[in-house]
Amino acid sequence: MSEHTYKIVELAGSSTQGSDEAVRNAIARAAKTLRNLDWFEVVETRGHLVNGKIAHWQVKLKLGFRMED
Amino acid sequence: MSEHTYKIVELAGSSTQGSDEAVRNAIARAAKTLRNLDWFEVVETRGHLVNGKIAHWQVKLKLGFRMED
Amino acid sequence: MSEHTYKIVELAGSSTQGSDEAVRNAIARAAKTLRNLDWFEVVETRGHLVNGKIAHWQVKLKLGFRMED
Amino acid sequence: MSEHTYKIVELAGSSTQGSDEAVRNAIARAAKTLRNLDWFEVVETRGHLVNGKIAHWQVKLKLGFRMED
Amino acid sequence: MSEHTYKIVELAGSSTQGSDEAVRNAIARAAKTLRNLDWFEVVETRGHLVNGKIAHWQVKLKLGFRMED
Amino acid sequence: MSEHTYKIVELAGSSTQGSDEAVRNAIARAAKTLRNLDWFEVVETRGHLVNGKIAHWQVKLKLGFRMED
Amino acid sequence: MSEHTYKIVELAGSSTQGSDEAVRNAIARAAKTLRNLDWFEVVETRGHLVNGKIAHWQVKLKLGFRMED
Amino acid sequence: MSEHTYKIVELAGSSTQGSDEAVRNAIARAAKTLRNLDWFEVVETRGHLVNGKIAHWQVKLKLGFRMED
Amino acid sequence: MSEHTYKIVELAGSSTQGSDEAVRNAIARAAKTLRNLDWFEVVETRGHLVNGKIAHWQVKLKLGFRMED
Amino acid sequence: MSEHTYKIVELAGSSTQGSDEAVRNAIARAAKTLRNLDWFEVVETRGHLVNGKIAHWQVKLKLGFRMED
Amino acid sequence: MSEHTYKIVELAGSSTQGSDEAVRNAIARAAKTLRNLDWFEVVETRGHLVNGKIAHWQVKLKLGFRMED
Amino acid sequence: MSEHTYKIVELAGSSTQGSDEAVRNAIARAAKTLRNLDWFEVVETRGHLVNGKIAHWQVKLKLGFRMED
């Protein structure tokens, strides 16, 4: 962060592969519509279980991006 | 949550009736403009007092909805 | 807050002057595009250091504004 | 809150009816001795169980009231 | 709590009616298999949304019960 | 704190000037009626917005003072 | 807690002997002026050091007492 | 913890003597029915007051024990 | 979660491979004795170090499963 | 933070002037002995009171600095 | 704390005797190498169990000491 | 932890590969200068974004190591 103002949005990404991949998926989706993405923070890691196995990893994260002046 | 990405927004609803009604009011307002609402979480319950009685219950909540792909 | 629903957004403002000024800068930026701003809460105060001095104060805050009915 | 100073006290109300009623009971008791009550915040919701049923809902709350100048 | 040892279990109850009813449902289910239930504490209140309305209130709670000596 | 017992009260001060001034205002008000004030801790910093500007900074703080023996 | 309203105050007790004794000292001081004391909760344990040894244990606690109807 | 899986249970022990003794009492009770106890963590320290004195110290703790393979 | 009651247990899994694998190991162990596993949440990630390297990743998680009616 | 490792230390600075100045004083002291200071985060704001006025503002902060490779 | 800067370090002490003794042991060890120790705060209390009994109490604490100017 | 005193330091590691690798990098750096490393705990997971992708994963962790007697 320099002299600008940043907006922070909260997303939840999911993946069948693992926790890091759930983060990457959420960021990839956000990058389709948001510019100037600057940082993320993991808020919560959880998942959905089916038949005693992890069906989806689900990670909540906050994303900060610089607002246009 | 399945394989999609979800966005989470924070709202504060109010009601003269009670805490659950304040949650319902915020969700009803959100449903006017957001599709694919999936879950909510209560973040804070408070209220405004007038003449020693509760004038409004005020409940902050987070709302998760599925983003279009 | 009266009988309306409020939306809460999270911003990070910055300033070379101090922590209060970083809050004011974020609110000034938000006021360009959001109407009916009602309250703010400071979430985190931090900053960036260059050559052993504070280059920017950075303050995360939440902003509540009344949604149009 | 305007330009005044407010004092915040912590109470625990109870009710056999439900959580909202426990809040109302605590506020009604406070209003007997405190003037200028302005807001409350719920801090904790719990209860006492007898024979597998809720005997009392117990809600801790903070109450803010304006101090006389 | 007197001179005994208590065990604390965590449950999540649900209801289509409201948050208090979700608490009562979880306690009713627990009372089928646990004796000497003594207190509960609400840990989290959330819910599932379908078509822009609350389909189920979901409340996590902790339940304390006295262990047999 | 030495060998005495201290009482801790919670206040919310306000100021049109800034966050530190809101702390000073609350302490000045408390000092009118409490003796032996010893320390304070900031609990929350927020404010009220009017026309896109900060109308009042509002700071919650805890105040510790030594009880007479 | 039964059907009454309880007030909760925060104190900090101290002792040269240990943490439990600091709790007992604060309660003994409170019992001089408050009736119907019902429960306490430890909020923080800390202490003051002099010459590399503990001069005073200092324990913050909350005290609940039943309000007269 | 080595390569095994551990289960964590939550208990509340009590004692008329002090906070450490309440921990020991809860562990002694647990050890009657659980094997392979490995660690504990204190979660909360509180107590019940009668006639202005501590009748029981009550300590909530988590207990970890190794699950049989 | 639908209209059922869920029980939540806390486990700590371990792995020499990484944090996700520690989660999977704990779930695999739980699935041997618990049916209807529905979700998990990561509570804490830590590990044991030997000779300056990670010997075991250790992850605490909560597991929710539907109780039989 | 780029590809390096950072160390984080905790300090408490003080000032008779205000909370921002207490932060600056702690950083100035740290800069005498630590190189490559990169960021700070405010952890706690408190102060010491004498005769009903603030004698010192005291701010705890964390300081991150890049470790030499 | 007066006008100086303080550094805060985190330690974990242990004792076979009890929680207070674990604090004293950590402080005694710290006092061998650190001067001007001023205060401590307990961060976490836990312990290691062997054969169903407490083998060691383990207490994490923060220690503040005045930095030389 | 056995009968010794442990010191706990806070680091932030980074990696272009993933969150676990950022932990390993920080530990590898620490092991160059600290002996008797015993455990770590993850405190925060975040990262820096460039062009809509993760440039660096950044993980804050605490490291405990046994102090020489």
Side-chain angles (χ1 to χ4, degrees):
Chain A
M1 295 198 292
S2 60
E3 293 213 7
H4 306 288
T5 298
Y6 292 76
K7 187 168 180 190
I8 298 157
V9 292
E10 191 169 2
L11 301 178
S14 64
S15 165
T16 57
Q17 302 303 304
S19 58
D20 282 8
E21 199 63 18
V23 174
R24 287 188 198 99
N25 289 350
I27 292 169
R29 176 63 188 80
K32 289 185 187 177
T33 47
L34 295 173
R35 283 189 294 177
N36 305 317
L37 292 172
D38 199 64
W39 85 91
F40 73 92
E41 304 167 44
V42 171
V43 172
E44 187 183 69
T45 300
R46 51 190 295 162
H48 182 50
L49 302 170
V50 175
N51 293 329
K53 291 188 192 306
I54 299 174
H56 295 91
W57 292 80
Q58 302 162 326
V59 182
K60 269 191 213 158
L61 61 164
K62 296 206 177 187
L63 268 178
F65 59 95
R66 184 163 46 79
M67 297 173 80
E68 310 286 343
D69 294 326
Chain B
M1 294 197 294
S2 62
E3 293 212 6
H4 306 288
T5 299
Y6 292 76
K7 187 166 180 191
I8 298 157
V9 292
E10 191 169 1
L11 301 178
S14 63
S15 164
T16 57
Q17 302 303 303
S19 59
D20 282 7
E21 199 64 17
V23 173
R24 287 188 198 99
N25 288 351
I27 292 169
R29 176 61 187 81
K32 288 186 187 176
T33 48
L34 296 173
R35 284 188 295 176
N36 305 317
L37 292 172
D38 200 65
W39 84 91
F40 73 92
E41 305 166 43
V42 171
V43 172
E44 187 183 71
T45 301
R46 50 191 296 161
H48 182 50
L49 302 170
V50 175
N51 292 331
K53 291 188 192 306
I54 299 175
H56 295 92
W57 292 79
Q58 301 162 327
V59 182
K60 269 191 212 160
L61 61 164
K62 296 206 177 187
L63 267 178
F65 59 95
R66 184 163 46 78
M67 297 173 80
E68 310 285 343
D69 293 324
Chain C
M1 293 198 294
S2 61
E3 293 212 7
H4 306 288
T5 299
Y6 292 76
K7 187 167 180 190
I8 298 157
V9 293
E10 191 169 2
L11 301 179
S14 64
S15 164
T16 57
Q17 302 304 303
S19 59
D20 281 7
E21 198 64 17
V23 173
R24 286 188 198 99
N25 287 351
I27 291 169
R29 176 62 187 80
K32 289 186 186 175
T33 48
L34 295 173
R35 284 188 295 176
N36 305 318
L37 292 171
D38 200 64
W39 85 90
F40 72 93
E41 305 167 43
V42 172
V43 172
E44 187 184 70
T45 300
R46 51 190 296 161
H48 183 50
L49 302 170
V50 175
N51 292 331
K53 291 187 192 306
I54 299 174
H56 295 92
W57 292 79
Q58 301 163 326
V59 182
K60 269 191 213 159
L61 62 163
K62 296 206 176 188
L63 267 179
F65 59 95
R66 184 163 46 79
M67 297 174 80
E68 311 285 343
D69 293 325
Chain D
M1 292 198 294
S2 60
E3 293 212 7
H4 306 289
T5 298
Y6 292 76
K7 186 168 181 189
I8 298 157
V9 293
E10 191 169 2
L11 300 179
S14 64
S15 163
T16 58
Q17 301 304 303
S19 58
D20 282 7
E21 199 64 19
V23 173
R24 287 188 198 98
N25 288 351
I27 292 169
R29 176 61 188 81
K32 289 185 186 177
T33 47
L34 295 173
R35 285 189 293 177
N36 305 318
L37 291 172
D38 199 65
W39 85 90
F40 73 92
E41 305 167 42
V42 171
V43 171
E44 187 184 69
T45 301
R46 50 191 297 161
H48 182 50
L49 302 170
V50 175
N51 293 330
K53 290 187 192 307
I54 300 174
H56 294 91
W57 292 80
Q58 301 162 328
V59 182
K60 270 191 212 161
L61 62 162
K62 296 207 177 187
L63 267 179
F65 59 95
R66 184 164 46 78
M67 297 175 79
E68 311 283 345
D69 293 325
Chain E
M1 293 197 294
S2 60
E3 294 211 5
H4 306 289
T5 299
Y6 292 75
K7 187 168 179 188
I8 298 157
V9 292
E10 192 169 1
L11 301 178
S14 63
S15 164
T16 57
Q17 301 303 303
S19 59
D20 282 7
E21 199 63 18
V23 174
R24 287 188 197 99
N25 287 351
I27 292 169
R29 176 62 188 80
K32 288 185 186 177
T33 48
L34 294 174
R35 285 188 292 178
N36 305 318
L37 291 173
D38 199 63
W39 85 91
F40 72 94
E41 304 167 43
V42 171
V43 172
E44 188 183 69
T45 300
R46 52 190 295 160
H48 183 51
L49 302 171
V50 176
N51 294 330
K53 291 188 191 305
I54 299 175
H56 295 92
W57 292 79
Q58 301 162 328
V59 182
K60 270 192 212 160
L61 62 164
K62 296 207 177 187
L63 267 179
F65 60 95
R66 184 162 47 79
M67 297 174 80
E68 310 284 343
D69 294 325
Chain F
M1 293 198 293
S2 60
E3 293 211 7
H4 306 288
T5 298
Y6 292 75
K7 187 168 180 189
I8 299 157
V9 292
E10 192 170 0
L11 301 179
S14 63
S15 164
T16 57
Q17 302 304 304
S19 59
D20 282 7
E21 198 64 18
V23 173
R24 287 188 197 98
N25 287 351
I27 291 168
R29 177 59 187 82
K32 288 186 187 176
T33 49
L34 294 173
R35 284 189 293 177
N36 306 317
L37 291 172
D38 199 64
W39 84 91
F40 72 93
E41 304 167 44
V42 171
V43 172
E44 188 184 69
T45 301
R46 52 189 294 161
H48 183 50
L49 302 170
V50 176
N51 293 330
K53 291 188 191 307
I54 299 174
H56 295 92
W57 291 80
Q58 301 163 326
V59 182
K60 270 192 212 159
L61 62 162
K62 296 206 178 188
L63 267 178
F65 60 93
R66 184 164 46 80
M67 298 174 78
E68 311 284 344
D69 294 323
Chain G
M1 294 196 295
S2 61
E3 293 211 6
H4 306 289
T5 299
Y6 292 75
K7 188 169 180 189
I8 298 157
V9 292
E10 191 169 1
L11 302 179
S14 64
S15 165
T16 58
Q17 301 303 303
S19 59
D20 282 7
E21 199 64 19
V23 173
R24 287 188 198 99
N25 288 351
I27 292 169
R29 176 60 188 80
K32 288 185 185 177
T33 47
L34 295 173
R35 284 188 295 175
N36 305 318
L37 291 172
D38 199 63
W39 84 89
F40 73 93
E41 304 167 43
V42 171
V43 172
E44 187 184 71
T45 301
R46 51 190 296 163
H48 182 51
L49 302 170
V50 175
N51 293 329
K53 290 187 192 307
I54 299 175
H56 294 91
W57 292 79
Q58 300 163 327
V59 183
K60 270 192 213 161
L61 63 162
K62 295 207 177 188
L63 267 178
F65 60 94
R66 184 163 47 79
M67 296 174 79
E68 311 284 344
D69 293 325
Chain H
M1 294 198 293
S2 60
E3 293 212 6
H4 306 289
T5 298
Y6 292 76
K7 187 168 181 191
I8 298 157
V9 292
E10 191 169 2
L11 300 179
S14 63
S15 164
T16 57
Q17 301 303 304
S19 59
D20 282 7
E21 198 64 18
V23 174
R24 287 187 197 100
N25 288 351
I27 292 169
R29 176 61 188 81
K32 288 186 185 175
T33 48
L34 294 173
R35 284 189 293 176
N36 305 318
L37 292 171
D38 199 64
W39 84 90
F40 73 93
E41 304 167 43
V42 171
V43 171
E44 186 184 70
T45 301
R46 50 190 296 162
H48 183 50
L49 302 171
V50 176
N51 293 329
K53 290 187 192 307
I54 299 174
H56 295 90
W57 292 78
Q58 301 162 327
V59 182
K60 268 192 214 159
L61 63 163
K62 296 206 176 188
L63 266 178
F65 60 95
R66 184 164 46 80
M67 296 174 80
E68 310 285 344
D69 293 325
Chain I
M1 294 197 294
S2 59
E3 292 212 7
H4 306 288
T5 299
Y6 293 76
K7 187 168 180 189
I8 298 157
V9 292
E10 191 170 1
L11 300 179
S14 63
S15 164
T16 57
Q17 301 304 303
S19 59
D20 282 7
E21 198 64 19
V23 173
R24 287 187 198 100
N25 288 350
I27 291 169
R29 176 61 188 82
K32 289 185 186 176
T33 48
L34 295 173
R35 283 188 295 177
N36 305 319
L37 292 172
D38 199 64
W39 85 90
F40 73 93
E41 305 166 43
V42 171
V43 172
E44 186 184 71
T45 301
R46 51 190 295 161
H48 182 50
L49 302 170
V50 175
N51 293 329
K53 289 186 193 306
I54 299 175
H56 295 92
W57 292 79
Q58 301 162 328
V59 182
K60 270 191 211 160
L61 61 164
K62 297 206 176 188
L63 268 178
F65 59 96
R66 183 164 47 80
M67 297 174 80
E68 311 284 345
D69 292 325
Chain J
M1 293 196 295
S2 61
E3 292 211 8
H4 306 289
T5 298
Y6 292 75
K7 188 169 180 188
I8 298 156
V9 292
E10 191 169 2
L11 301 179
S14 63
S15 164
T16 56
Q17 302 303 304
S19 59
D20 282 6
E21 198 65 18
V23 174
R24 287 188 197 99
N25 288 350
I27 292 169
R29 175 62 188 81
K32 288 186 186 175
T33 47
L34 295 173
R35 286 188 293 176
N36 305 318
L37 291 172
D38 199 64
W39 85 90
F40 73 92
E41 305 167 43
V42 171
V43 173
E44 188 184 69
T45 301
R46 51 191 295 162
H48 183 50
L49 302 170
V50 175
N51 293 329
K53 291 187 192 305
I54 299 174
H56 295 92
W57 292 80
Q58 301 162 328
V59 182
K60 270 191 213 161
L61 62 163
K62 295 206 177 187
L63 267 179
F65 60 95
R66 184 163 47 79
M67 297 174 79
E68 311 284 345
D69 293 324
Chain K
M1 295 197 293
S2 60
E3 292 210 7
H4 306 289
T5 299
Y6 292 76
K7 187 168 180 190
I8 299 158
V9 291
E10 191 169 2
L11 301 178
S14 64
S15 163
T16 57
Q17 302 303 304
S19 59
D20 282 8
E21 198 64 17
V23 174
R24 287 187 197 99
N25 288 351
I27 292 168
R29 176 61 188 81
K32 288 186 186 177
T33 47
L34 294 174
R35 284 188 293 177
N36 304 319
L37 292 172
D38 199 63
W39 85 91
F40 72 93
E41 304 168 43
V42 171
V43 171
E44 186 184 70
T45 300
R46 51 190 296 161
H48 182 51
L49 301 171
V50 176
N51 294 328
K53 290 186 192 308
I54 299 174
H56 295 91
W57 293 79
Q58 301 162 326
V59 182
K60 270 193 213 159
L61 62 163
K62 295 207 177 186
L63 267 178
F65 59 95
R66 184 163 46 79
M67 297 173 80
E68 310 285 345
D69 293 325
Chain L
M1 294 196 293
S2 60
E3 292 211 7
H4 306 288
T5 298
Y6 292 76
K7 187 167 180 189
I8 299 158
V9 292
E10 192 170 1
L11 301 179
S14 64
S15 163
T16 57
Q17 302 303 304
S19 59
D20 282 7
E21 199 64 19
V23 173
R24 286 188 198 99
N25 288 351
I27 292 169
R29 176 61 187 82
K32 287 186 186 175
T33 47
L34 294 173
R35 285 188 293 176
N36 305 318
L37 291 173
D38 198 64
W39 85 91
F40 73 92
E41 304 167 45
V42 172
V43 171
E44 187 183 69
T45 301
R46 53 190 295 162
H48 182 50
L49 302 170
V50 175
N51 293 329
K53 290 187 192 307
I54 299 175
H56 295 92
W57 292 79
Q58 301 162 327
V59 182
K60 269 192 213 160
L61 62 163
K62 295 207 177 187
L63 267 178
F65 59 95
R66 184 164 47 79
M67 297 174 79
E68 311 284 344
D69 293 323

